[in-house]
Amino acid sequence: MTPPATSWQLFWAFFRIGIFGFGGGPAMIPLVRAEVVTRHHWLTDEEFADVLAIGNTLPGPIATKMPGYIGYRVGGVVGCIAAVIAIIVPMIVAMIVMLGIFSRYRDVAWIRGMGQAVVPVVMVMMAQLTWDFFDKSQAALGWLVSIAMAIIAAGLIYWLGIHPGWVIGAILLAALLRPAGKKKAEGAA
Amino acid sequence: MIYWDLFLAFFIPNIIGYGGGPAIIPLIEAEVVGRYGWMTAQTFAETLALGNALPSPIATKMAGYVGYEVAGIGGAFIAVAATVIPTLLLMLGALGLLYRHRDSPRVKRMSQWVRPVIAMMMAWLTLGFLLESLNTSGTIHTLIIGIVAAIALIRFNTHPAFVVMGALVYGGFFLG
């Protein structure tokens, strides 16, 4: 059974996850598990796996859906708010303060140089993510389908100027409405 | 109305972006830089660099900062709320339904089919950062930073925070 949790416990648990979780939401899942299952026993291993699976059926960041749901489940509405605030607010404040100081001195040549120098780093990080997503995509759909879909989507979005929301929305609808059990649905997630 | 625009700019990416926070980044860039022009490619890259160097989820850090830049504290609140609340309410409200379908091939297919499009938008964004850097820092500096960063991140698994710090030092000395 789930032992009762105070909002304060929830706050500190998710505060720790937020402070030590680098690399975006999906990379933080093991930390969430360590706090929620191992340390506080709010959920069993099995329940945690279910929550994760349910979270993945929905779009949007996983690292806010899980704290919100777990907070609600063990601490009600207040617990939900405490968990979400604990995981997101500290670093949002840090971003605003640090970038605020940075942009105030943007006219100083060497500070502007620092800003320019991070662009190639971000490019490399984005290239890594690109590869990661293409690799998962080809594992599930094959190279041919993945590349064909990417090229068609690129044409629609960047050549015809259609908003990506329409393109992705149409794909989601097609995936949802197409009868289940066809061979495309096979393969690893 | 700026708050409504901010809400839409973050609501849409988060309601269609399967694959967690990182998948949402190119969709947010399309809104913030492409559609509304609230930020230049350069400032978006700087924001993303700091976002990657700090812990906690990336989608909410981007939303909080962009919202604050565009419309102050209220803007930050709206952008973060648009990121967090809709999918969280869906999860709390439709739990039973989602639970029954958590292993459904249709649901799996939704995230699988979206992935090539997200990957393509990520590739496009990568190219955008490359062109931006060639334009502002020149070919030689771009190559040096890019290659060293790639080796550090991929070959040696260096923590992104250290790679960003290294680039800041390099930029302070050689690009100022």
Side-chain angles (χ1 to χ4, degrees):
Chain A
M1 267 333 292
T2 312
T6 66
S7 302
W8 204 230
Q9 281 177 314
L10 278 164
F11 183 88
W12 283 115
F14 285 99
F15 180 80
R16 277 193 296 270
I17 297 166
I19 292 295
F20 293 114
F22 286 91
M28 296 165 69
I29 292 166
L31 289 180
V32 181
R33 197 187 157 279
E35 288 284 342
V36 170
V37 179
T38 314
R39 183 177 178 139
H40 288 292
H41 308 289
W42 287 325
L43 299 180
T44 65
D45 244 331
E46 215 163 275
E47 288 167 328
F48 183 81
D50 280 342
V51 173
L52 181 59
I54 293 165
N56 280 328
T57 62
L58 291 171
I62 189 77
T64 56
K65 279 177 288 183
M66 293 198 83
Y69 174 73
I70 295 167
Y72 179 78
R73 179 159 162 169
V74 299
V77 174
V78 180
C80 169
I81 295 169
V84 173
I85 285 179
I87 202 165
I88 68 173
V89 170
M91 287 305 130
I92 293 176
V93 173
M95 289 276 285
I96 291 173
V97 170
M98 290 166 82
L99 285 167
I101 294 170
F102 178 81
S103 54
R104 181 181 299 175
Y105 297 103
R106 193 184 289 281
D107 294 337
V108 182
W110 64 272
I111 298 223
R112 196 173 50 235
M114 290 168 91
Q116 287 174 15
V118 298
V119 181
V121 176
V122 177
M123 174 194 80
V124 172
M125 290 168 171
M126 198 44 71
Q128 270 185 298
L129 278 176
T130 306
W131 171 251
D132 186 44
F133 271 68
F134 260 121
D135 193 43
K136 277 190 201 144
S137 181
Q138 65 83 17
L141 304 170
W143 282 112
L144 197 66
V145 176
S146 301
I147 291 173
M149 284 181 78
I151 290 172
I152 293 168
L156 293 173
I157 294 171
Y158 299 116
W159 190 54
L160 294 178
I162 296 171
H163 191 279
W166 293 113
V167 177
I168 294 177
I171 292 173
L172 289 176
L173 208 61
L176 195 65
L177 296 180
R178 195 168 178 271
K182 296 270 168 71
K183 73 178 200 305
K184 256 190 184 168
E186 288 167 13
Chain B
M1 170 86 182
I2 190 71
Y3 289 129
W4 178 242
D5 285 347
L6 264 176
F7 176 83
L8 283 183
F10 286 92
F11 173 74
I12 295 171
N14 282 290
I15 208 73
I16 59 174
Y18 272 91
I24 294 156
I25 295 169
L27 297 168
I28 288 176
E29 194 268 352
E31 304 286 342
V32 169
V33 180
R35 186 172 184 196
Y36 293 104
W38 287 323
M39 278 184 164
T40 62
Q42 169 71 38
T43 38
F44 189 81
E46 287 164 4
T47 311
L48 196 52
L50 183 63
N52 277 325
L54 293 175
S56 95
I58 186 78
T60 50
K61 272 180 295 187
M62 297 300 285
Y65 181 70
V66 175
Y68 180 80
E69 265 294 288
V70 172
I73 302 281
F77 184 80
I78 297 282
V80 172
T83 302
V84 174
I85 294 174
T87 45
L88 183 55
L89 283 184
L90 264 179
M91 183 157 176
L92 293 173
L95 193 75
L97 183 74
L98 296 170
Y99 183 80
R100 277 197 301 281
H101 292 279
R102 71 194 188 288
D103 294 322
S104 135
R106 282 170 198 234
V107 168
K108 211 171 268 174
R109 207 160 57 188
M110 283 166 77
S111 54
Q112 281 177 2
W113 285 14
V114 168
R115 221 174 264 141
V117 182
I118 301 277
M120 182 278 299
M121 292 186 74
M122 286 173 163
W124 189 266
L125 192 52
T126 306
L127 184 69
F129 287 141
L130 175 66
L131 296 177
E132 171 74 20
S133 182
L134 289 175
N135 195 25
T136 54
S137 306
T139 312
I140 295 179
H141 289 304
T142 301
L143 276 178
I144 293 172
I145 302 168
I147 290 170
V148 172
I151 293 171
L153 286 168
I154 299 163
R155 179 74 182 76
F156 294 105
N157 256 323
T158 313
H159 195 287
F162 294 120
V163 180
V164 169
M165 268 191 258
L168 290 175
V169 172
Y170 181 94
F173 279 107
F174 299 109
L175 293 174

